[in-house]
Amino acid sequence: ESIQTNLTITHNHPTKNHCVIYTGSNPLPAGTTILSSYPLATQLLGNTETRSLRCSYCFQKQSKLLRCAQCQNVRYCNRTCQKKDWTENGHKLICKQLKRKECAIDVILAIQTLSKLSKEEYQHCQIQPLSKQSTTHPKPIICGLSHWNSVYSGPSNSAEDTAHINLVQEIIQTIPTCKQEEARSTLRKFQYNNFSIFDELHNSYAAGVYPWAATVNHSCCPNVLVRFATAQGEVPILEFVSCKEIQPGDEICHSYVDLTLEEMERKAELKDKYGIHPCDCIRCSSSSAENAMAFWPCGEKETIQTLDPFFWDISRMNEKRQIVPISQVYYTPSDIPLDDIHHCLEQATFSFQKDDDAAELSFLQQALHLHDSKSSLPLSPFSYRICCKLLSSLLVSGKIQEALDICIRIVCCLCVALGKDMVYHPLLGLQLFTLADLYEGCGRNEEATSAYIWCRKILRVTHGKESEMVQRLNMIL
């Protein structure tokens, strides 16, 4: 009835606490939704003004929202969402507190989580169909204690526990039956396992607790991606969608970190934020070097003279092209003036905060010039970060041709950084949409059409065939 019945948590891996294994009998093609889960808890992020734009239950943006009459702190689409948040999400437990003061995000999430897990219906995991259930998606799981208990809580840390004293006290005051260690363990689990909830443009706007999804391990060469299904009157449902073919017996993995970072940066973030050390995924393992390769248009030691994003076009997947180790063509050169570049980036940020668009653009152009004047490597993690900021600034300034040149560079950076096996990635799809729009704006219609087609192939997998962005692409094409 559901692909999720073919996902098994195993605890006998030699180096991992647990693994989620696909145990079905048939391969799963890219674009298959293999996991779907309701949250135990959710909470909007941002300041009061930002949160006031979305319903506090289903997170839909509405022009007119109803405010909670008691706390005056949260808003809803309608009475139905308000009632669900009161009874299901535990707003009744924290309403009085929110009237007095702002509550920490983790406190709100912990109160929602622990209050649900104390109820009889959450002692076991359940499958519950949506009111409008798709025939191509698995029915969402409602997580219970078994999934929650499988979630990694990390080692007990006295320094962290001390920092959490006030949060623990707030939780216990709201849920008197909760023990101190239970509250501390919950906060530790949040540190390693909570998800950012994001929109189609990958802008984060909320946090969520999804224990079933949190049992899935990290890989720098993942076979699934995260996306969220949202609808008015429904809490956001987390989905894992396959981004490459998955064979029976494969471990299900998604990436916890930004894959445009070079290897040392990824490993440092995994160690500091998630306690993963070392990363033994197939991309980082020295015995699996073939998984850290990228298509490259010239010799290993040669520099790309002309950037042609269509060299990496998904329509060329079956062509024989040269491959090289990513680490040899995508890295931060040691001879670039990092201090001077950081100074320019700081000044650009300061100018942005002052709404000085001209100064922001000037400092970002200086930062890229400093990088390029000392490096013959056009595609590097550092140039990628500068170019992403510069693209936004150029678009605001209306400099379309310059924006096109920078966007081409960003797309090429992504294609190399993600490697030859990661052809379906949401960031690449989104940048291709921008690239196609810029080609069209510059009158280069043939290239625009090619970029739109490439973009649609990716977004059909990463966002879904029914997503708004794919529907827009269908109309354009």
Side-chain angles (χ1 to χ4, degrees):
E1 191 174 70
S2 168
I3 294 173
Q4 294 189 101
T5 60
N6 292 321
L7 298 180
T8 303
I9 300 176
T10 177
H11 296 274
N12 57 5
H13 192 278
T15 60
K16 299 178 182 179
N17 184 48
H18 61 262
C19 298
V20 177
I21 305 295
Y22 171 59
T23 57
S25 55
N26 298 312
L28 301 176
T32 304
T33 303
I34 66 170
L35 183 152
S36 182
S37 176
Y38 284 107
L40 272 181
T42 55
Q43 176 61 25
L44 286 170
L45 301 175
N47 55 34
T48 304
E49 182 180 353
T50 304
R51 296 198 306 270
S52 69
L53 302 175
R54 291 181 182 269
C55 171
S56 291
Y57 178 73
C58 68
F59 298 161
Q60 296 295 297
K61 281 187 174 181
Q62 301 286 345
S63 57
K64 188 176 181 180
L65 293 165
L66 305 175
R67 191 197 296 258
C68 174
Q70 292 191 46
C71 69
Q72 299 284 308
N73 197 285
V74 296
R75 292 168 172 79
Y76 301 102
C77 299
N78 48 45
R79 297 294 180 191
T80 302
C81 282
Q82 184 176 21
K83 185 177 179 180
K84 285 182 176 180
D85 198 40
W86 184 263
T87 57
E88 296 175 14
N89 273 10
H91 181 63
K92 64 181 178 182
L93 297 173
I94 58 171
C95 187
K96 290 182 179 179
Q97 288 173 254
L98 290 174
K99 187 176 182 178
R100 296 194 305 270
K101 61 173 184 177
E102 284 282 326
C103 280
I105 298 293
D106 279 358
V107 169
I108 296 172
L109 292 173
I111 290 169
Q112 288 183 38
T113 299
L114 294 171
S115 64
K116 280 186 179 179
L117 291 174
S118 66
K119 298 175 182 177
E120 180 64 30
E121 59 264 35
Y122 285 92
Q123 298 308 295
H124 304 282
C125 302
Q126 311 164 48
I127 293 179
Q128 181 171 327
L130 290 166
S131 52
K132 296 181 180 179
Q133 181 61 38
S134 168
T135 57
T136 60
H137 286 53
K139 295 176 182 177
I141 292 283
I142 298 177
C143 290
L145 274 176
S146 60
H147 284 151
W148 178 249
N149 292 336
S150 296
V151 170
Y152 176 65
S153 61
S156 180
N157 184 310
S158 57
E160 286 180 3
D161 289 344
T162 300
H164 289 158
I165 284 177
N166 291 336
L167 302 184
V168 168
Q169 289 304 316
E170 283 190 61
I171 295 167
I172 293 173
Q173 286 171 10
T174 307
I175 308 176
T177 56
C178 178
K179 306 298 182 185
Q180 281 199 9
E181 181 50 41
E182 185 181 17
R184 282 196 292 264
S185 174
T186 298
L187 293 173
R188 286 199 298 270
K189 286 187 177 186
F190 286 174
Q191 178 182 342
Y192 296 107
N193 298 286
N194 281 4
F195 286 82
S196 289
I197 300 172
F198 48 80
D199 60 20
E200 284 200 323
L201 296 176
H202 273 237
N203 297 314
S204 296
Y205 61 84
V209 181
Y210 296 87
W212 178 206
T215 61
V216 174
N217 287 323
H218 162 80
S219 173
C220 298
C221 189
N223 53 15
V224 297
L225 301 167
V226 178
R227 71 182 181 207
F228 292 91
T230 60
Q232 187 171 8
E234 299 277 1
V235 288
I237 294 172
L238 182 148
E239 297 179 340
F240 276 142
V241 58
S242 57
C243 56
K244 59 183 68 172
E245 187 173 80
I246 297 175
Q247 298 293 332
D250 284 354
E251 181 185 2
I252 304 302
C253 294
H254 75 106
S255 178
Y256 295 3
V257 297
D258 180 355
L259 294 177
T260 64
L261 300 174
E262 55 188 313
E263 185 175 334
M264 293 307 296
E265 291 177 298
R266 293 199 311 272
K267 288 183 174 180
E269 185 171 337
L270 288 167
K271 180 182 178 182
D272 295 342
K273 289 183 67 174
Y274 302 101
I276 299 174
H277 179 68
C279 177
D280 60 355
C281 75
I282 58 175
R283 180 169 172 177
C284 295
S285 171
S286 57
S287 62
S288 304
E290 70 275 6
N291 292 293
M293 306 291 282
F295 293 115
W296 193 247
C298 51
E300 236 176 74
K301 304 297 182 183
E302 296 174 44
T303 302
I304 300 175
Q305 299 300 319
T306 304
L307 293 174
D308 176 17
F310 296 105
F311 171 79
W312 290 276
D313 192 332
I314 202 169
S315 64
R316 303 185 63 182
M317 281 177 65
N318 297 323
E319 292 184 21
K320 188 173 182 180
R321 289 172 288 170
Q322 176 179 254
I323 58 172
V324 300
I326 295 173
S327 59
Q328 291 190 17
V329 293
Y330 184 79
Y331 60 89
T332 299
S334 58
D335 54 351
I336 62 172
L338 284 175
D339 290 343
D340 293 340
I341 293 174
H342 280 301
H343 174 72
C344 287
L345 294 177
E346 288 170 1
Q347 290 301 310
T349 301
F350 181 67
S351 300
F352 171 77
Q353 293 168 345
K354 291 173 58 182
D355 293 324
D356 190 341
D357 295 339
E360 180 195 9
L361 177 59
S362 175
F363 282 119
L364 289 172
Q365 288 173 324
Q366 288 178 49
L368 188 61
H369 174 73
L370 286 169
H371 175 280
D372 291 351
S373 64
K374 296 295 183 180
S375 170
S376 60
L377 196 69
L379 309 181
S380 73
F382 218 84
S383 68
Y384 170 75
R385 281 172 243 171
I386 297 171
C387 285
C388 286
K389 294 176 182 291
L390 181 54
L391 176 60
S392 298
S393 186
L394 288 167
L395 290 173
V396 168
S397 302
K399 300 181 181 295
I400 303 302
Q401 182 57 56
E402 291 176 54
L404 173 60
D405 295 337
I406 293 299
C407 193
I408 288 172
R409 188 164 173 176
I410 291 172
V411 168
C412 293
C413 277
L414 282 168
C415 290
V416 174
L418 296 172
K420 66 180 181 64
D421 295 320
M422 193 69 185
V423 295
Y424 297 108
H425 194 281
L427 291 184
L428 178 55
L430 292 171
Q431 287 293 353
L432 283 168
F433 209 142
T434 303
L435 179 65
D437 285 345
L438 289 169
Y439 273 133
E440 192 171 55
C442 292
R444 297 165 65 171
N445 294 333
E446 186 175 340
E447 289 153 302
T449 299
S450 296
Y452 281 131
I453 291 171
W454 182 7
C455 170
R456 184 171 64 175
K457 288 178 181 176
I458 293 175
L459 295 186
R460 277 176 169 172
V461 169
T462 63
H463 287 58
K465 294 178 181 179
E466 304 302 319
S467 67
E468 288 184 20
M469 299 198 76
V470 170
Q471 295 305 312
R472 283 174 57 195
L473 285 163
N474 289 341
M475 293 182 66
I476 291 170
L477 292 167

